[in-house]
PDB file of all heavy atoms in Angstrom:
ATOM      1  N   LYS A   1      94.659 -21.353 -35.631  1.00  0.00           N
ATOM      2  CA  LYS A   1      95.809 -21.732 -34.822  1.00  0.00           C
ATOM      3  C   LYS A   1      95.409 -21.921 -33.355  1.00  0.00           C
ATOM      4  O   LYS A   1      94.426 -21.350 -32.886  1.00  0.00           O
ATOM      5  CB  LYS A   1      96.909 -20.674 -34.940  1.00  0.00           C
ATOM      6  CG  LYS A   1      97.432 -20.510 -36.363  1.00  0.00           C
ATOM      7  CD  LYS A   1      98.516 -19.464 -36.436  1.00  0.00           C
ATOM      8  CE  LYS A   1      99.023 -19.287 -37.866  1.00  0.00           C
ATOM      9  NZ  LYS A   1      99.628 -20.513 -38.390  1.00  0.00           N
ATOM     10  N   LYS A   2      96.184 -22.696 -32.664  1.00  0.00           N
ATOM     11  CA  LYS A   2      95.927 -22.994 -31.258  1.00  0.00           C
ATOM     12  C   LYS A   2      95.869 -21.704 -30.429  1.00  0.00           C
ATOM     13  O   LYS A   2      96.744 -20.852 -30.526  1.00  0.00           O
ATOM     14  CB  LYS A   2      97.021 -23.905 -30.692  1.00  0.00           C
ATOM     15  CG  LYS A   2      96.786 -24.361 -29.256  1.00  0.00           C
ATOM     16  CD  LYS A   2      97.865 -25.319 -28.811  1.00  0.00           C
ATOM     17  CE  LYS A   2      97.695 -25.729 -27.359  1.00  0.00           C
ATOM     18  NZ  LYS A   2      96.431 -26.438 -27.110  1.00  0.00           N
ATOM     19  N   GLY A   3      94.802 -21.545 -29.658  1.00  0.00           N
ATOM     20  CA  GLY A   3      94.678 -20.423 -28.745  1.00  0.00           C
ATOM     21  C   GLY A   3      94.149 -19.137 -29.345  1.00  0.00           C
ATOM     22  O   GLY A   3      94.055 -18.125 -28.646  1.00  0.00           O
ATOM     23  N   GLU A   4      93.774 -19.135 -30.631  1.00  0.00           N
ATOM     24  CA  GLU A   4      93.265 -17.906 -31.223  1.00  0.00           C
ATOM     25  C   GLU A   4      91.758 -17.979 -31.444  1.00  0.00           C
ATOM     26  O   GLU A   4      91.157 -19.055 -31.475  1.00  0.00           O
ATOM     27  CB  GLU A   4      93.966 -17.602 -32.549  1.00  0.00           C
ATOM     28  CG  GLU A   4      93.518 -18.428 -33.729  1.00  0.00           C
ATOM     29  CD  GLU A   4      94.081 -17.919 -35.056  1.00  0.00           C
ATOM     30  OE1 GLU A   4      94.543 -16.762 -35.125  1.00  0.00           O
ATOM     31  OE2 GLU A   4      94.054 -18.684 -36.037  1.00  0.00           O
ATOM     32  N   VAL A   5      91.158 -16.797 -31.602  1.00  0.00           N
ATOM     33  CA  VAL A   5      89.753 -16.700 -31.997  1.00  0.00           C
ATOM     34  C   VAL A   5      89.745 -16.253 -33.457  1.00  0.00           C
ATOM     35  O   VAL A   5      90.224 -15.172 -33.795  1.00  0.00           O
ATOM     36  CB  VAL A   5      88.977 -15.696 -31.128  1.00  0.00           C
ATOM     37  CG1 VAL A   5      87.505 -15.676 -31.539  1.00  0.00           C
ATOM     38  CG2 VAL A   5      89.098 -16.039 -29.654  1.00  0.00           C
ATOM     39  N   PHE A   6      89.207 -17.112 -34.307  1.00  0.00           N
ATOM     40  CA  PHE A   6      89.185 -16.854 -35.747  1.00  0.00           C
ATOM     41  C   PHE A   6      87.754 -16.553 -36.156  1.00  0.00           C
ATOM     42  O   PHE A   6      86.842 -17.363 -35.948  1.00  0.00           O
ATOM     43  CB  PHE A   6      89.703 -18.080 -36.504  1.00  0.00           C
ATOM     44  CG  PHE A   6      89.851 -17.874 -37.986  1.00  0.00           C
ATOM     45  CD1 PHE A   6      91.038 -17.378 -38.521  1.00  0.00           C
ATOM     46  CD2 PHE A   6      88.809 -18.162 -38.855  1.00  0.00           C
ATOM     47  CE1 PHE A   6      91.175 -17.188 -39.894  1.00  0.00           C
ATOM     48  CE2 PHE A   6      88.942 -17.980 -40.227  1.00  0.00           C
ATOM     49  CZ  PHE A   6      90.126 -17.488 -40.745  1.00  0.00           C
ATOM     50  N   GLY A   7      87.533 -15.391 -36.746  1.00  0.00           N
ATOM     51  CA  GLY A   7      86.203 -14.981 -37.168  1.00  0.00           C
ATOM     52  C   GLY A   7      85.922 -15.351 -38.607  1.00  0.00           C
ATOM     53  O   GLY A   7      86.781 -15.180 -39.487  1.00  0.00           O
ATOM     54  N   PHE A   8      84.725 -15.853 -38.842  1.00  0.00           N
ATOM     55  CA  PHE A   8      84.279 -16.237 -40.183  1.00  0.00           C
ATOM     56  C   PHE A   8      83.067 -15.367 -40.472  1.00  0.00           C
ATOM     57  O   PHE A   8      81.961 -15.619 -39.976  1.00  0.00           O
ATOM     58  CB  PHE A   8      83.932 -17.722 -40.176  1.00  0.00           C
ATOM     59  CG  PHE A   8      83.948 -18.385 -41.518  1.00  0.00           C
ATOM     60  CD1 PHE A   8      84.789 -17.963 -42.528  1.00  0.00           C
ATOM     61  CD2 PHE A   8      83.125 -19.471 -41.759  1.00  0.00           C
ATOM     62  CE1 PHE A   8      84.808 -18.602 -43.764  1.00  0.00           C
ATOM     63  CE2 PHE A   8      83.131 -20.121 -42.981  1.00  0.00           C
ATOM     64  CZ  PHE A   8      83.979 -19.686 -43.988  1.00  0.00           C
ATOM     65  N   LEU A   9      83.260 -14.311 -41.261  1.00  0.00           N
ATOM     66  CA  LEU A   9      82.274 -13.235 -41.376  1.00  0.00           C
ATOM     67  C   LEU A   9      81.617 -13.223 -42.749  1.00  0.00           C
ATOM     68  O   LEU A   9      82.282 -13.255 -43.777  1.00  0.00           O
ATOM     69  CB  LEU A   9      82.964 -11.892 -41.128  1.00  0.00           C
ATOM     70  CG  LEU A   9      82.107 -10.621 -41.181  1.00  0.00           C
ATOM     71  CD1 LEU A   9      81.043 -10.627 -40.097  1.00  0.00           C
ATOM     72  CD2 LEU A   9      82.990  -9.385 -41.034  1.00  0.00           C
ATOM     73  N   GLY A  10      80.289 -13.157 -42.741  1.00  0.00           N
ATOM     74  CA  GLY A  10      79.539 -13.060 -43.982  1.00  0.00           C
ATOM     75  C   GLY A  10      78.051 -13.126 -43.682  1.00  0.00           C
ATOM     76  O   GLY A  10      77.645 -13.576 -42.613  1.00  0.00           O
ATOM     77  N   PRO A  11      77.206 -12.688 -44.631  1.00  0.00           N
ATOM     78  CA  PRO A  11      75.761 -12.734 -44.415  1.00  0.00           C
ATOM     79  C   PRO A  11      75.243 -14.165 -44.490  1.00  0.00           C
ATOM     80  O   PRO A  11      75.955 -15.092 -44.898  1.00  0.00           O
ATOM     81  CB  PRO A  11      75.203 -11.886 -45.563  1.00  0.00           C
ATOM     82  CG  PRO A  11      76.216 -12.036 -46.646  1.00  0.00           C
ATOM     83  CD  PRO A  11      77.541 -12.136 -45.961  1.00  0.00           C
ATOM     84  N   ASN A  12      73.998 -14.348 -44.107  1.00  0.00           N
ATOM     85  CA  ASN A  12      73.367 -15.659 -44.222  1.00  0.00           C
ATOM     86  C   ASN A  12      73.379 -16.099 -45.685  1.00  0.00           C
ATOM     87  O   ASN A  12      73.093 -15.321 -46.585  1.00  0.00           O
ATOM     88  CB  ASN A  12      71.924 -15.605 -43.712  1.00  0.00           C
ATOM     89  CG  ASN A  12      71.863 -15.328 -42.218  1.00  0.00           C
ATOM     90  OD1 ASN A  12      72.771 -15.691 -41.483  1.00  0.00           O
ATOM     91  ND2 ASN A  12      70.801 -14.679 -41.773  1.00  0.00           N
ATOM     92  N   GLY A  13      73.733 -17.369 -45.922  1.00  0.00           N
ATOM     93  CA  GLY A  13      73.769 -17.900 -47.273  1.00  0.00           C
ATOM     94  C   GLY A  13      75.108 -17.761 -47.974  1.00  0.00           C
ATOM     95  O   GLY A  13      75.258 -18.187 -49.121  1.00  0.00           O
ATOM     96  N   ALA A  14      76.106 -17.183 -47.291  1.00  0.00           N
ATOM     97  CA  ALA A  14      77.405 -16.966 -47.939  1.00  0.00           C
ATOM     98  C   ALA A  14      78.258 -18.227 -47.975  1.00  0.00           C
ATOM     99  O   ALA A  14      79.215 -18.311 -48.746  1.00  0.00           O
ATOM    100  CB  ALA A  14      78.179 -15.853 -47.232  1.00  0.00           C
ATOM    101  N   GLY A  15      77.937 -19.214 -47.123  1.00  0.00           N
ATOM    102  CA  GLY A  15      78.709 -20.460 -47.109  1.00  0.00           C
ATOM    103  C   GLY A  15      79.340 -20.794 -45.780  1.00  0.00           C
ATOM    104  O   GLY A  15      80.091 -21.769 -45.669  1.00  0.00           O
ATOM    105  N   LYS A  16      79.026 -20.021 -44.740  1.00  0.00           N
ATOM    106  CA  LYS A  16      79.643 -20.243 -43.429  1.00  0.00           C
ATOM    107  C   LYS A  16      79.229 -21.595 -42.833  1.00  0.00           C
ATOM    108  O   LYS A  16      80.070 -22.396 -42.409  1.00  0.00           O
ATOM    109  CB  LYS A  16      79.265 -19.114 -42.456  1.00  0.00           C
ATOM    110  CG  LYS A  16      79.638 -17.719 -42.931  1.00  0.00           C
ATOM    111  CD  LYS A  16      79.455 -16.665 -41.856  1.00  0.00           C
ATOM    112  CE  LYS A  16      78.062 -16.600 -41.283  1.00  0.00           C
ATOM    113  NZ  LYS A  16      77.043 -16.230 -42.295  1.00  0.00           N
ATOM    114  N   SER A  17      77.931 -21.866 -42.777  1.00  0.00           N
ATOM    115  CA  SER A  17      77.442 -23.100 -42.159  1.00  0.00           C
ATOM    116  C   SER A  17      77.867 -24.332 -42.958  1.00  0.00           C
ATOM    117  O   SER A  17      78.185 -25.378 -42.370  1.00  0.00           O
ATOM    118  CB  SER A  17      75.915 -23.064 -42.030  1.00  0.00           C
ATOM    119  OG  SER A  17      75.514 -22.052 -41.117  1.00  0.00           O
ATOM    120  N   THR A  18      77.890 -24.214 -44.281  1.00  0.00           N
ATOM    121  CA  THR A  18      78.350 -25.334 -45.108  1.00  0.00           C
ATOM    122  C   THR A  18      79.787 -25.690 -44.764  1.00  0.00           C
ATOM    123  O   THR A  18      80.144 -26.862 -44.601  1.00  0.00           O
ATOM    124  CB  THR A  18      78.239 -24.977 -46.602  1.00  0.00           C
ATOM    125  OG1 THR A  18      76.871 -24.751 -46.939  1.00  0.00           O
ATOM    126  CG2 THR A  18      78.790 -26.097 -47.474  1.00  0.00           C
ATOM    127  N   THR A  19      80.633 -24.676 -44.637  1.00  0.00           N
ATOM    128  CA  THR A  19      82.036 -24.905 -44.276  1.00  0.00           C
ATOM    129  C   THR A  19      82.138 -25.562 -42.909  1.00  0.00           C
ATOM    130  O   THR A  19      82.902 -26.528 -42.722  1.00  0.00           O
ATOM    131  CB  THR A  19      82.815 -23.575 -44.285  1.00  0.00           C
ATOM    132  OG1 THR A  19      82.701 -22.963 -45.576  1.00  0.00           O
ATOM    133  CG2 THR A  19      84.276 -23.801 -43.958  1.00  0.00           C
ATOM    134  N   ILE A  20      81.364 -25.092 -41.956  1.00  0.00           N
ATOM    135  CA  ILE A  20      81.441 -25.630 -40.598  1.00  0.00           C
ATOM    136  C   ILE A  20      80.963 -27.075 -40.546  1.00  0.00           C
ATOM    137  O   ILE A  20      81.539 -27.907 -39.835  1.00  0.00           O
ATOM    138  CB  ILE A  20      80.645 -24.731 -39.626  1.00  0.00           C
ATOM    139  CG1 ILE A  20      81.449 -23.451 -39.369  1.00  0.00           C
ATOM    140  CG2 ILE A  20      80.331 -25.448 -38.319  1.00  0.00           C
ATOM    141  CD1 ILE A  20      80.773 -22.458 -38.477  1.00  0.00           C
ATOM    142  N   ARG A  21      79.917 -27.407 -41.292  1.00  0.00           N
ATOM    143  CA  ARG A  21      79.459 -28.801 -41.310  1.00  0.00           C
ATOM    144  C   ARG A  21      80.560 -29.738 -41.822  1.00  0.00           C
ATOM    145  O   ARG A  21      80.694 -30.874 -41.362  1.00  0.00           O
ATOM    146  CB  ARG A  21      78.191 -28.927 -42.162  1.00  0.00           C
ATOM    147  CG  ARG A  21      76.941 -28.395 -41.482  1.00  0.00           C
ATOM    148  CD  ARG A  21      75.688 -28.853 -42.193  1.00  0.00           C
ATOM    149  NE  ARG A  21      75.576 -28.325 -43.542  1.00  0.00           N
ATOM    150  CZ  ARG A  21      75.003 -27.162 -43.840  1.00  0.00           C
ATOM    151  NH1 ARG A  21      74.479 -26.421 -42.882  1.00  0.00           N
ATOM    152  NH2 ARG A  21      74.929 -26.756 -45.097  1.00  0.00           N
ATOM    153  N   HIS A  22      81.339 -29.253 -42.762  1.00  0.00           N
ATOM    154  CA  HIS A  22      82.456 -30.062 -43.266  1.00  0.00           C
ATOM    155  C   HIS A  22      83.576 -30.155 -42.233  1.00  0.00           C
ATOM    156  O   HIS A  22      84.198 -31.208 -42.078  1.00  0.00           O
ATOM    157  CB  HIS A  22      82.982 -29.486 -44.583  1.00  0.00           C
ATOM    158  CG  HIS A  22      82.104 -29.788 -45.758  1.00  0.00           C
ATOM    159  ND1 HIS A  22      80.963 -29.080 -46.039  1.00  0.00           N
ATOM    160  CD2 HIS A  22      82.201 -30.744 -46.720  1.00  0.00           C
ATOM    161  CE1 HIS A  22      80.392 -29.583 -47.125  1.00  0.00           C
ATOM    162  NE2 HIS A  22      81.127 -30.583 -47.568  1.00  0.00           N
ATOM    163  N   ILE A  23      83.836 -29.065 -41.528  1.00  0.00           N
ATOM    164  CA  ILE A  23      84.853 -29.104 -40.473  1.00  0.00           C
ATOM    165  C   ILE A  23      84.464 -30.109 -39.394  1.00  0.00           C
ATOM    166  O   ILE A  23      85.307 -30.873 -38.893  1.00  0.00           O
ATOM    167  CB  ILE A  23      85.038 -27.699 -39.856  1.00  0.00           C
ATOM    168  CG1 ILE A  23      85.696 -26.749 -40.869  1.00  0.00           C
ATOM    169  CG2 ILE A  23      85.896 -27.775 -38.582  1.00  0.00           C
ATOM    170  CD1 ILE A  23      85.738 -25.301 -40.420  1.00  0.00           C
ATOM    171  N   MET A  24      83.188 -30.150 -39.071  1.00  0.00           N
ATOM    172  CA  MET A  24      82.706 -31.077 -38.048  1.00  0.00           C
ATOM    173  C   MET A  24      82.702 -32.531 -38.531  1.00  0.00           C
ATOM    174  O   MET A  24      82.509 -33.450 -37.741  1.00  0.00           O
ATOM    175  CB  MET A  24      81.293 -30.678 -37.603  1.00  0.00           C
ATOM    176  CG  MET A  24      81.233 -29.386 -36.801  1.00  0.00           C
ATOM    177  SD  MET A  24      82.153 -29.470 -35.255  1.00  0.00           S
ATOM    178  CE  MET A  24      81.315 -30.804 -34.409  1.00  0.00           C
ATOM    179  N   GLY A  25      82.891 -32.743 -39.830  1.00  0.00           N
ATOM    180  CA  GLY A  25      82.891 -34.106 -40.362  1.00  0.00           C
ATOM    181  C   GLY A  25      81.519 -34.638 -40.694  1.00  0.00           C
ATOM    182  O   GLY A  25      81.348 -35.838 -40.924  1.00  0.00           O
ATOM    183  N   PHE A  26      80.521 -33.755 -40.750  1.00  0.00           N
ATOM    184  CA  PHE A  26      79.154 -34.185 -41.063  1.00  0.00           C
ATOM    185  C   PHE A  26      78.963 -34.397 -42.567  1.00  0.00           C
ATOM    186  O   PHE A  26      78.024 -35.091 -42.971  1.00  0.00           O
ATOM    187  CB  PHE A  26      78.145 -33.149 -40.571  1.00  0.00           C
ATOM    188  CG  PHE A  26      78.182 -32.909 -39.081  1.00  0.00           C
ATOM    189  CD1 PHE A  26      77.764 -31.704 -38.548  1.00  0.00           C
ATOM    190  CD2 PHE A  26      78.627 -33.890 -38.212  1.00  0.00           C
ATOM    191  CE1 PHE A  26      77.793 -31.471 -37.184  1.00  0.00           C
ATOM    192  CE2 PHE A  26      78.664 -33.669 -36.838  1.00  0.00           C
ATOM    193  CZ  PHE A  26      78.244 -32.453 -36.331  1.00  0.00           C
ATOM    194  N   SER A  27      79.794 -33.774 -43.382  1.00  0.00           N
ATOM    195  CA  SER A  27      79.698 -33.893 -44.834  1.00  0.00           C
ATOM    196  C   SER A  27      81.079 -34.166 -45.409  1.00  0.00           C
ATOM    197  O   SER A  27      82.096 -33.705 -44.868  1.00  0.00           O
ATOM    198  CB  SER A  27      79.131 -32.608 -45.454  1.00  0.00           C
ATOM    199  OG  SER A  27      77.838 -32.323 -44.963  1.00  0.00           O
ATOM    200  N   LYS A  28      81.111 -34.895 -46.517  1.00  0.00           N
ATOM    201  CA  LYS A  28      82.371 -35.202 -47.193  1.00  0.00           C
ATOM    202  C   LYS A  28      82.586 -34.216 -48.339  1.00  0.00           C
ATOM    203  O   LYS A  28      81.702 -34.020 -49.167  1.00  0.00           O
ATOM    204  CB  LYS A  28      82.350 -36.633 -47.740  1.00  0.00           C
ATOM    205  CG  LYS A  28      83.673 -37.074 -48.348  1.00  0.00           C
ATOM    206  CD  LYS A  28      83.616 -38.527 -48.787  1.00  0.00           C
ATOM    207  CE  LYS A  28      84.966 -38.977 -49.350  1.00  0.00           C
ATOM    208  NZ  LYS A  28      84.938 -40.406 -49.755  1.00  0.00           N
ATOM    209  N   PRO A  29      83.752 -33.581 -48.395  1.00  0.00           N
ATOM    210  CA  PRO A  29      83.995 -32.599 -49.467  1.00  0.00           C
ATOM    211  C   PRO A  29      84.017 -33.247 -50.850  1.00  0.00           C
ATOM    212  O   PRO A  29      84.462 -34.385 -51.006  1.00  0.00           O
ATOM    213  CB  PRO A  29      85.373 -32.031 -49.123  1.00  0.00           C
ATOM    214  CG  PRO A  29      85.648 -32.436 -47.716  1.00  0.00           C
ATOM    215  CD  PRO A  29      84.891 -33.692 -47.472  1.00  0.00           C
ATOM    216  N   GLN A  30      83.516 -32.520 -51.840  1.00  0.00           N
ATOM    217  CA  GLN A  30      83.710 -32.955 -53.222  1.00  0.00           C
ATOM    218  C   GLN A  30      85.182 -32.834 -53.602  1.00  0.00           C
ATOM    219  O   GLN A  30      85.715 -33.637 -54.363  1.00  0.00           O
ATOM    220  CB  GLN A  30      82.867 -32.088 -54.174  1.00  0.00           C
ATOM    221  CG  GLN A  30      81.378 -32.364 -54.100  1.00  0.00           C
ATOM    222  CD  GLN A  30      80.599 -31.438 -55.019  1.00  0.00           C
ATOM    223  OE1 GLN A  30      81.118 -30.426 -55.491  1.00  0.00           O
ATOM    224  NE2 GLN A  30      79.345 -31.767 -55.259  1.00  0.00           N
TER     225      GLN A  30
END
């Protein structure tokens, strides 16, 4: 939401970077 800090917590390999690449529009979701 606008104005909030949202934490995405998990160890390396859990899927955080994959999700972010899709948010940035670098990858197209299946």
Side-chain angles (χ1 to χ4, degrees):
K1 298 180 181 298
K2 184 176 177 62
E4 77 170 343
V5 182
F6 186 89
F8 202 30
L9 181 63
N12 294 331
K16 303 189 304 297
S17 294
T18 297
T19 303
I20 285 178
R21 285 195 295 272
H22 284 80
I23 291 172
M24 290 298 300
F26 300 154
S27 300
K28 185 176 182 179
Q30 288 178 345

